Amino acid sequence: MKHHSRINLFGFILVSLVLLSSCDPIQSIYIENQTSKPASVLFTFNPGAQDYRFQEAEGADTYLVRLDSMGASQEFYFAMGTWGISSSLDSLVAAVASVEIKSERSSESFVGPQQVRVFFTDRIPKKRKERIEIILD
């Protein structure tokens, strides 16, 4: 009888773990340099914004991502879910005051909530809504 109790307990624990685990993806921002020269992305954060700060930028108002060569990339991970959830994107837009992209050929700036929202929204792939892809080309 003890043998059946152990099997039942093990089965119960296994089923509970499967049911309690989440299948939601992890939100991320992926940045890749596809130019043959160094390129960078500068994020400026709004004062007091705590959500979606890059770990390395803790306590700083800006965070510079430098990618020195073609194919160099960096990815930052945040909460569970997708960027398709409006509250997630709203929180990200509220945290970021501006985004500036610089490469040898060009410089682009996206300032203010409307431009920052469009910048991020345009970079959410249709098939991977948990990821924002910033491709420097």
Side-chain angles (χ1 to χ4, degrees):
M1 196 68 165
K2 277 188 168 183
H3 179 68
H4 289 294
S5 296
R6 285 186 186 163
I7 291 174
N8 288 339
L9 179 61
F10 177 74
F12 175 76
I13 291 172
L14 183 62
V15 169
S16 296
L17 287 174
V18 169
L19 291 176
L20 292 175
S21 66
S22 175
C23 295
D24 286 342
I26 296 175
Q27 294 172 330
S28 68
I29 296 177
Y30 174 79
I31 305 167
E32 181 179 340
N33 183 0
Q34 291 185 351
T35 71
S36 58
K37 302 286 184 188
S40 64
V41 179
L42 176 68
F43 295 93
T44 303
F45 301 104
N46 285 313
Q50 296 301 315
D51 294 339
Y52 298 111
R53 279 195 179 246
F54 300 84
Q55 185 175 9
E56 296 87 349
E58 196 70 33
D61 290 337
T62 62
Y63 184 66
L64 179 64
V65 179
R66 284 193 179 112
L67 301 172
D68 293 329
S69 61
M70 181 178 267
S73 65
Q74 198 164 357
E75 190 159 11
F76 301 93
Y77 298 96
F78 300 103
M80 301 292 272
T82 69
W83 296 112
I85 300 170
S86 62
S87 62
S88 292
L89 193 57
D90 290 347
S91 297
L92 179 63
V93 169
V96 178
S98 67
V99 180
E100 185 177 344
I101 298 174
K102 287 187 179 181
S103 67
E104 183 179 79
R105 288 184 273 163
S106 67
S107 179
E108 295 179 90
S109 293
F110 303 88
V111 181
Q114 291 176 335
Q115 289 185 1
V116 169
R117 177 178 298 282
V118 170
F119 172 80
F120 286 131
T121 302
D122 288 350
R123 287 159 177 80
I124 299 172
K126 292 187 186 321
K127 292 186 179 182
R128 295 196 66 189
K129 294 200 180 291
E130 76 278 3
R131 191 176 195 189
I132 293 173
E133 295 180 350
I134 302 171
I135 306 299
L136 310 173
D137 53 8

